[in-house]
Amino acid sequence: TRLGLVNIANTCYVNVIVQSILPCNALLWVLRRCNASDPRRPVFSSMVTLCKEFHTRKPESHGDILNVLTLQQVKEVVASWQRLGAQQDAGEFLFYLLSQMHDESKWKVHVAPEPRSADGEAGKEGGEDETSRPGAWAHLVKTNRRQVETRSAGLHEDSPITRIFGGLIQSAVRARSAKADSVSLEPFYHLDLDISASGVTSVRTALEAFCNPEVVNEGQATRRIQFKVLPKVLILSLKRFAYTKGKGGPQKVKKAIRYEEKFALDRSWLVDDALLPEYIVTALICHHGDSVNRGHYTAIVRYNAEWYLYDDTVVRRVEPKEVASQQYTVYLLVYQSRGTVDMAP
């Protein structure tokens, strides 16, 4: 059901997140199998309650209005994050929800000790590559070209949220004087993309800038970022606000950023053995206004081949031309890839 959501106490940031992520097929599959009143999982329970509101109403109820704060579970989740009544950042709220749902549903991952080669250094042996999971750790690997010392951030944890939204970034630093490249692995649920540079005019050029090698350590090393694992649902956050010297605070980056309906990353942005899915955009979250502390959020969400604009209680179908015209306001993009998600621990 396309439900309009009441905006009271500056809750438009809550509304657009709910309206944008509930249509994610894999998340919907999980929520339909969860308890709506599990005291151990308050955030998951609140999302299950919202899921039922959106997906158990009759088709003729399209355009109905719901106040999410009348749902006590949802109100408690929002109030536990930030004070009600103040304008908040929609992206930060989304990332808070994903982090909390991960914590409420995570399980420990067993990572087998890395087998040692005859010379005492860690080497790869047959079987699944444990670093292909976002929560995995890596080690010192000897290759036929150059040694690579790899470390990963985070704990040995996995969850349905990681299976859906989790990816893995590889950051490789090559110093002139080092015998081995220093490679770190870092999990992510979203990507923050800097759009302030003049050459960044699209999502693709923003990702290209994100992955371009850069000089670090006062010119003594280079760092390159690549993707080792790409998520089923890729969330891109455009840095619409940036600090400018002499301006006294963050200023909005008012420039058009083009985005594609269908999208695949360049192979050069991926580690050699990484899978390369094709993504299709399913939701845009737009920020209207000049201030980081004020403004208004709207969402445009895909349902199969149709697009709907959500502006709090207003819900209307829009044409692809209007979807493509949000280049100056788009802030968050939700891309989904095809295929199933393995949820088994």
Side-chain angles (χ1 to χ4, degrees):
T1 303
R2 314 329 175 217
L3 281 181
L5 300 180
V6 177
N7 180 3
I8 60 172
N10 291 312
T11 54
C12 60
Y13 71 94
V14 177
N15 296 346
V16 292
I17 296 305
V18 171
Q19 291 158 331
S20 297
I21 68 169
L22 279 183
C24 291
N25 294 330
L27 179 62
L28 180 61
W29 187 92
V30 173
L31 294 176
R32 283 176 169 169
R33 288 158 177 78
C34 292
N35 192 333
S37 56
D38 187 343
R40 301 169 301 168
R41 299 181 174 92
V43 178
F44 249 111
S45 295
S46 68
M47 293 301 295
V48 172
T49 300
L50 285 169
C51 179
K52 290 182 176 180
E53 290 286 344
F54 271 75
H55 294 285
T56 60
R57 300 193 180 206
K58 295 180 180 179
E60 58 266 25
S61 63
H62 287 330
D64 278 2
I65 295 173
L66 172 68
N67 180 356
V68 297
L69 295 187
T70 61
L71 305 174
Q72 188 60 31
Q73 294 166 302
V74 178
K75 183 177 181 179
E76 290 175 357
V77 167
V78 176
S80 68
W81 178 61
Q82 295 285 1
R83 178 176 59 87
L84 290 174
Q87 176 68 284
Q88 304 295 344
D89 185 276
E92 291 181 4
F93 180 64
L94 170 59
F95 311 145
Y96 167 77
L97 285 183
L98 296 180
S99 176
Q100 292 298 110
M101 286 194 289
H102 165 75
D103 287 343
E104 291 177 2
S105 61
K106 65 188 178 184
W107 60 80
K108 292 183 179 179
V109 176
H110 173 70
V111 180
E114 180 67 11
R116 295 279 168 175
S117 60
D119 59 5
E121 292 178 336
K124 290 187 177 180
E125 204 167 272
E128 181 183 358
D129 179 7
E130 290 290 347
T131 64
S132 65
R133 289 275 177 90
W137 288 70
H139 19 259
L140 182 67
V141 179
K142 185 177 181 180
T143 70
N144 59 359
R145 292 175 297 174
R146 185 179 174 93
Q147 290 185 356
V148 179
E149 185 177 9
T150 310
R151 297 182 177 86
S152 71
L155 301 175
H156 305 298
E157 295 174 347
D158 202 353
S159 73
I161 300 303
T162 296
R163 298 288 179 92
I164 299 170
F165 299 96
L168 194 64
I169 290 174
Q170 173 178 291
S171 176
V173 176
R174 171 166 293 188
R176 296 177 180 177
S177 57
K179 295 181 179 180
D181 291 346
S182 177
V183 176
S184 61
L185 301 176
E186 182 179 353
F188 69 90
Y189 289 146
H190 72 281
L191 293 176
D192 287 321
L193 299 179
D194 187 354
I195 61 172
S196 60
S198 60
V200 175
T201 58
S202 65
V203 166
R204 183 168 294 278
T205 53
L207 280 166
E208 183 179 19
F210 182 82
C211 295
N212 275 346
E214 62 174 331
V215 177
V216 295
N217 297 340
E218 299 181 345
Q220 298 303 307
T222 57
R223 180 175 63 187
R224 184 184 186 190
I225 292 176
Q226 291 178 295
F227 296 99
K228 187 169 180 64
V229 178
L230 286 168
K232 293 295 183 181
V233 178
L234 175 64
I235 299 175
L236 303 179
S237 174
L238 307 182
K239 293 184 178 180
R240 278 291 180 187
F241 290 91
Y243 283 91
T244 304
K245 188 175 181 180
K247 295 291 186 178
Q251 304 296 308
K252 189 167 186 179
V253 180
K254 300 178 182 179
K255 63 187 297 187
I257 298 295
R258 300 189 308 275
Y259 42 89
E260 303 168 45
E261 180 183 2
K262 294 183 178 180
F263 178 74
L265 278 71
D266 287 356
R267 171 56 68 180
S268 62
W269 303 343
L270 276 64
V271 176
D272 291 342
D273 58 350
L275 298 178
L276 182 59
E278 182 182 59
Y279 290 102
I280 184 169
V281 65
T282 57
L284 307 174
I285 294 175
C286 302
H287 179 269
H288 309 270
D290 297 334
S291 171
V292 68
N293 299 315
R294 293 187 300 275
H296 181 60
Y297 289 104
T298 60
I300 301 181
V301 183
R302 178 198 295 270
Y303 289 88
N304 298 319
E306 298 178 348
W307 286 93
Y308 287 83
L309 169 70
Y310 288 98
D311 187 354
D312 292 330
T313 58
V314 176
V315 181
R316 63 179 176 87
R317 185 176 173 184
V318 296
E319 296 301 321
K321 183 178 179 180
E322 187 171 351
V323 178
S325 69
Q326 310 301 314
Q327 297 179 8
Y328 284 93
T329 60
V330 63
Y331 164 47
L332 295 168
L333 301 101
V334 180
Y335 282 91
Q336 295 190 54
S337 62
R338 299 185 184 277
T340 59
V341 181
D342 180 12
M343 294 295 181

